[in-house]
Amino acid sequence: MNNRFDNGPKLETATAALTWNVADHQSGKGQYFSDRYAALAQDVERASDAGVWQYFRTHRAKVGRNIEVEDEGGRCFTGVNGASQDYLGLSNDPRVVEASIDAIRKYGAHSAGSAPMGGKTDLARAVEARISDILGIPHVCLFPTGWAAGYGIIKGLVRPHDHIVIDALGHNCLQHGAHAATGNVHQFIHNDMRSLEKRLDRIRRSEPEAAILVVTEALFSMDSDCPDFFELIELKNKYGAMVLLDIAHDFGCLGPKGRGLLTDHCSYSDIDYVIGSFSKTFASIGGFFASNDLASLRGVQGFSGSYTFSNYPIPAQLGAVDAALAIVFSDEGEDLRASVIANTRRLRDALGAGNVETLGVASAMTIIVAGSEARARLAYRRTLEQGVVVNCIEFPAVRRGEARFRVQLTPHHSKNEIAMIAKAIMTGLQDASRVATRGVASIAGAS
Ligand SMILES: Cc1ncc(COP(=O)(O)O)c(C=O)c1O
């Protein structure tokens, strides 16, 4: 084990590495990009030297409950993994791995074409059919990634004279797709249905015939919270809008039989469109679009650049997805879901007992707000030193000053490992506060 920081400057002298943020380098000034981002590169190097650069870790072995990673500064860590997007722990399941290998053997390594140009296989059709069946939505198509799906679907369906009303905290792919599609993008306050209604009402009064697409998520990954689905559907109907719901984080993991949170009380036929990702629960990558009407699917196929002008998902991806779908929506899947939620509750309880607040509802991710970027980075480094790897997230994934930890457990984590993760986070946050008050000169905002 080599979870040590003996090849960088002392943490207490690393103030400069703690106080900058990538947002400081957003201005876009400078004729040459190499000059424009020179200061950013310098800040990254400084943070990396000080052991407080939390991104771009590389794995040196299989990704499981225990991992071996190397940071960008070349330091190696072994420890408990609370940082992988593998919600039901299927990424090393032999059935999923074998199915992926079998798919390569049967169809080759490559998809060798976009969807309209021969990239699809009968395996792809089987995956589409499974998803359609599980969701109860008749028309499904697949994308290379969830990001490509979110961006491409919105850009493909919406025209510049249409309106998009989108949750202010909607995922990056949804926001980018919206802004690429139209200048008429209206953000509503996160999960606030009154704020959504205000925007819908204003648009309808001025443009009674306008097409309005409401875009939101079923489970937000930085807050682990969800909208009021009843109200969402009521507003959609009242104002003659359409709803596109991103179910990347709850599909397969939450709701009755894992079909997603909306299906707790409503049905996917109550809304218009769903998009999802295979990168959280289905041990692979890829995205999908599901539409209650065929015409909209044809619209997406016709006008989404990331569908039409990008190669189709490869057989290895889809072999894994097909096998994962079979497991996730079986009795075994029910047990896996119950275990991951029990593990999350255990972690939330342990953190709560130490007065560390967790956000939202119990899901496969546990969100802990650290506050300032400085405090989060310090605490992150302390968690590594204790043999625990969790994700430390800051702007642009969340707002400045709202940095947080996102812990991702699987059904397979043991009680001991969960206790270790909880302790490492609590100690990390306490130590970070102590370092700050001892006066690492002016660590902005560290409390
Ligand atoms: C809500 C949401 N949609 C889409 C995506 C993109 O998914 P993918 O990883 O498949 O590109 C993510 C990924 O983090 C997400 O959180």
Side-chain angles (χ1 to χ4, degrees):
M1 168 119 50
N2 178 24
N3 295 343
R4 295 173 57 196
F5 289 89
D6 45 10
N7 54 345
K10 279 243 175 305
L11 187 57
E12 280 73 2
T13 60
T15 312
L18 294 168
T19 50
W20 72 283
N21 185 273
V22 76
D24 302 335
H25 303 286
Q26 230 182 352
S27 71
K29 298 210 178 85
Q31 183 178 357
Y32 295 105
F33 300 146
S34 53
D35 294 337
R36 183 181 298 178
Y37 298 115
L40 169 63
Q42 205 175 36
D43 275 342
V44 168
E45 195 175 330
R46 204 180 282 139
S48 181
D49 282 350
V52 289
W53 176 238
Q54 69 267 46
Y55 302 118
F56 307 114
R57 295 183 303 266
T58 45
H59 289 272
R60 294 157 58 110
K62 254 187 197 167
V63 180
R65 285 152 52 197
N66 291 286
I67 46 171
E68 193 181 332
V69 290
E70 185 175 336
D71 74 8
E72 280 213 319
R75 302 176 195 88
C76 295
F77 304 92
T78 51
V80 179
N81 180 18
S84 288
Q85 235 162 220
D86 185 20
Y87 292 172
L88 295 190
L90 293 174
S91 79
N92 291 308
D93 186 290
R95 293 162 294 180
V96 174
V97 173
E98 284 308 313
S100 182
I101 294 167
D102 283 351
I104 298 178
R105 289 217 176 89
K106 181 164 180 195
Y107 302 100
H110 191 24
S111 61
S114 61
M117 296 294 181
K120 283 184 76 169
T121 56
D122 47 7
L123 172 62
R125 291 185 77 137
V127 169
E128 288 173 355
R130 266 194 205 278
I131 293 169
S132 165
D133 192 43
I134 294 159
L135 294 176
I137 302 181
H139 309 288
V140 172
C141 65
L142 307 182
F143 284 73
T145 68
W147 200 98
Y151 180 90
I153 290 159
I154 296 174
K155 176 77 174 78
L157 288 173
V158 176
R159 296 290 166 269
H161 52 272
D162 298 331
H163 291 261
I164 293 174
V165 188
I166 185 168
D167 189 291
L169 300 188
H171 189 262
N172 176 282
C173 64
L174 308 174
Q175 303 284 354
H176 277 268
H179 288 285
T182 173
N184 301 323
V185 178
H186 317 261
Q187 286 198 334
F188 64 93
I189 298 167
H190 177 54
N191 279 344
D192 182 333
M193 294 298 118
R194 295 287 68 76
S195 169
L196 169 60
E197 177 157 27
K198 261 193 205 156
R199 278 139 192 84
L200 290 172
D201 188 55
R202 198 178 310 142
I203 298 165
R204 265 292 162 257
R205 278 173 198 274
S206 60
E207 292 186 52
E209 304 290 318
I212 307 173
L213 183 66
V214 177
V215 180
T216 189
E217 298 180 28
L219 180 69
F220 286 81
S221 66
M222 299 301 162
D223 299 81
S224 197
D225 59 357
C226 48
D228 181 321
F229 297 108
F230 275 132
E231 281 206 60
L232 179 68
I233 292 165
E234 220 171 86
L235 291 176
K236 160 199 149 52
N237 292 331
K238 181 173 173 189
Y239 291 95
M242 296 160 281
V243 168
L244 170 66
L245 186 69
D246 187 330
I247 58 171
H249 293 279
D250 59 326
F251 181 54
C253 218
L254 291 170
K257 303 226 176 292
R259 291 174 66 241
L261 287 167
L262 177 136
T263 63
D264 261 331
H265 305 289
C266 318
S267 144
Y268 288 118
S269 59
D270 296 328
I271 60 168
D272 302 271
Y273 314 115
V274 159
I275 73 168
S277 162
F278 302 133
S279 68
K280 329 291 173 193
T281 304
F282 302 97
S284 189
I285 60 165
F288 66 83
F289 172 61
S291 169
N292 277 308
D293 69 283
L294 175 62
S296 298
L297 181 95
R298 290 296 184 209
V300 164
Q301 290 177 331
F303 299 109
S304 293
S306 54
Y307 183 80
T308 306
F309 296 101
S310 191
N311 254 39
Y312 199 69
I314 58 171
Q317 257 175 282
L318 297 181
V321 172
D322 194 45
L325 282 165
I327 298 168
V328 169
F329 295 101
S330 68
D331 290 345
E332 184 183 345
E334 282 291 275
D335 292 342
L336 292 170
R337 277 186 284 284
S339 299
V340 76
I341 296 303
N343 279 348
T344 298
R345 292 220 164 93
R346 198 164 281 131
L347 177 64
R348 289 168 72 98
D349 287 350
L351 290 165
N355 289 325
V356 172
E357 193 197 349
T358 51
L359 299 184
V361 298
S363 69
M365 57 230 166
T366 303
I367 313 291
I368 301 120
V369 172
S372 74
E373 289 77 13
R375 183 170 186 240
R377 287 177 209 172
L378 282 166
Y380 168 75
R381 183 174 144 164
R382 295 297 197 220
T383 57
L384 286 181
E385 287 170 342
Q386 294 168 82
V388 162
V389 182
V390 290
N391 281 320
C392 171
I393 292 165
E394 52 180 84
F395 179 91
V398 294
R399 295 189 180 114
R400 283 196 83 164
E402 294 182 13
R404 59 199 66 187
F405 286 112
R406 182 166 67 172
V407 184
Q408 289 161 166
L409 295 177
T410 68
H412 311 310
H413 280 88
S414 68
K415 287 183 186 161
N416 257 356
E417 288 162 347
I418 293 167
M420 254 183 93
I421 293 173
K423 182 166 175 289
I425 290 173
M426 291 188 293
T427 309
L429 288 170
Q430 278 161 13
D431 286 356
S433 299
R434 204 170 304 130
V435 170
T437 42
R438 263 214 321 263
V440 182
S442 50
I443 298 176
S447 54

